[in-house]
Amino acid sequence: MIRATNITKSFGDLQVLRGVNLYVEKGELVSIVGKSGAGKSTLLYILGTLARPDGGDLVIDGKNVFTLRDRQLAAFRNEQIGFVFQFHHLLPEFTALENVCIPAYINKQEVASTQRRAMELLDYLGLADRATHKPNQLSGGEQQRVAVARALINQPAIVFADEPSGNLDSASSEELHRLLFKLRDDFAQTFIIVTHNEELAGLSDRRLEMIDGLLN
Ligand SMILES: Nc1ncnc2c1ncn2[C@@H]1O[C@H](COP(=O)(O)OP(=O)(O)OP(=O)(O)O)[C@@H](O)[C@H]1O
Ligand SMILES: [Mg+2]
């Protein structure tokens, strides 16, 4: 599903990624751990095509993504990649349902079928009765589950998450993690998750550690 080869990235004199290699199969849930400042978010942004590396290749779902022009890359990203961040980044003026639908509308999908699918996702994530709530009317755990639904609406090849439970209490974290594994099991959804949560890392299919600019 994703193959990264010899990814390098520096910020000035600081070499953050020193030739990262990563291969993840469809339906794998892989976690990345490592010290603060190790380069985990930098790597995730590159794998998610939000930033370009200094060198290296990235193939996602058969596509060599960094050969695409910016506009093609943006379209590819919207269709094939889902993101969940530590802070949900939901739009405050829109309901949960509307927030989930937005990436599909950007992808020019039809309104009725999009809303149907968004409701199915919210239901699956235990949020059916929260669909018309705005983000500030939802708990932190509920907001993160809406963010997961939004990440899934376009049926992406892969979902990247950067400390998705970093801002949640332990009960909400556990519930979120349980749902991520359920999505892997039910739909063979592929996940790459940066986390400081050792329980999540321990349960994942593979736990990788970022050390000295490399993944081990
Ligand atoms: N845009 C940037 N310009 C300059 N330096 C940067 C930039 N982005 C990140 N860095 C530096 O690169 C290093 C890696 O940062 P990164 O955010 O990837 O770490 P991280 O492993 O995600 O850490 P944390 O666990 O604290 O989130 C840090 O030293 C950071 O200061
Ligand atoms: Mg980070």
Side-chain angles (χ1 to χ4, degrees), residues 21 25 43 54 78 80 141 143-144 164 167-168 183 190 207:
N21 295 302
E25 280 181 47
L43 177 64
D54 298 333
N78 184 55
Q80 298 296 346
Q143 291 170 354
Q144 274 311 57
N167 203 28
L168 300 181
L183 286 159
T190 311
R207 171 191 183 277

Side-chain angles (χ1 to χ4, degrees), residues 11 14 16 35-42 163 196:
F11 297 110
L14 180 69
V16 177
K35 288 194 184 123
S36 182
K40 305 179 298 295
S41 295
T42 301
E163 297 182 36
H196 285 115

Side-chain angles (χ1 to χ4, degrees), residues 23-182:
Y23 174 68
V24 177
E25 280 181 47
K26 181 172 169 59
E28 260 194 299
L29 190 156
V30 172
S31 62
I32 298 177
V33 300
K35 288 194 184 123
S36 182
K40 305 179 298 295
S41 295
T42 301
L43 177 64
L44 207 72
Y45 275 62
I46 290 171
L47 297 177
T49 77
L50 290 168
R52 288 181 189 264
D54 298 333
D57 279 324
L58 178 62
V59 177
I60 298 176
D61 205 17
K63 198 142 212 148
N64 194 334
V65 294
F66 291 127
T67 64
L68 299 175
R69 292 159 186 264
D70 285 347
R71 258 183 73 173
Q72 294 172 305
L73 185 58
F76 177 85
R77 184 187 309 126
N78 184 55
E79 281 174 38
Q80 298 296 346
I81 298 177
F83 293 99
V84 181
F85 298 101
Q86 180 171 3
F87 301 98
H88 54 76
H89 297 307
L90 298 173
L91 297 174
E93 299 300 321
F94 292 89
T95 66
L97 183 73
E98 288 163 345
N99 268 284
V100 174
C101 290
I102 287 167
Y105 296 153
I106 292 171
N107 199 14
K108 299 191 173 64
Q109 297 299 301
E110 198 206 359
V111 172
S113 59
T114 297
Q115 289 187 347
R116 211 177 315 122
R117 178 164 159 72
M119 267 316 297
E120 283 169 13
L121 277 168
L122 288 172
D123 188 30
Y124 179 92
L125 295 167
L127 293 165
D129 56 351
R130 296 288 183 278
T132 59
H133 291 222
K134 299 217 170 131
N136 68 4
Q137 300 169 319
L138 299 169
S139 73
E142 289 169 343
Q143 291 170 354
Q144 274 311 57
R145 281 181 279 143
V146 174
V148 170
R150 179 183 56 182
L152 293 169
I153 189 74
N154 286 337
Q155 297 178 279
I158 184 158
V159 173
F160 294 96
D162 196 350
E163 297 182 36
S165 50
N167 203 28
L168 300 181
D169 63 40
S170 60
S172 304
S173 296
E174 271 173 40
E175 172 154 39
L176 183 71
H177 299 159
R178 193 177 55 72
L179 284 165
L180 299 178
F181 286 106
K182 190 162 142 63

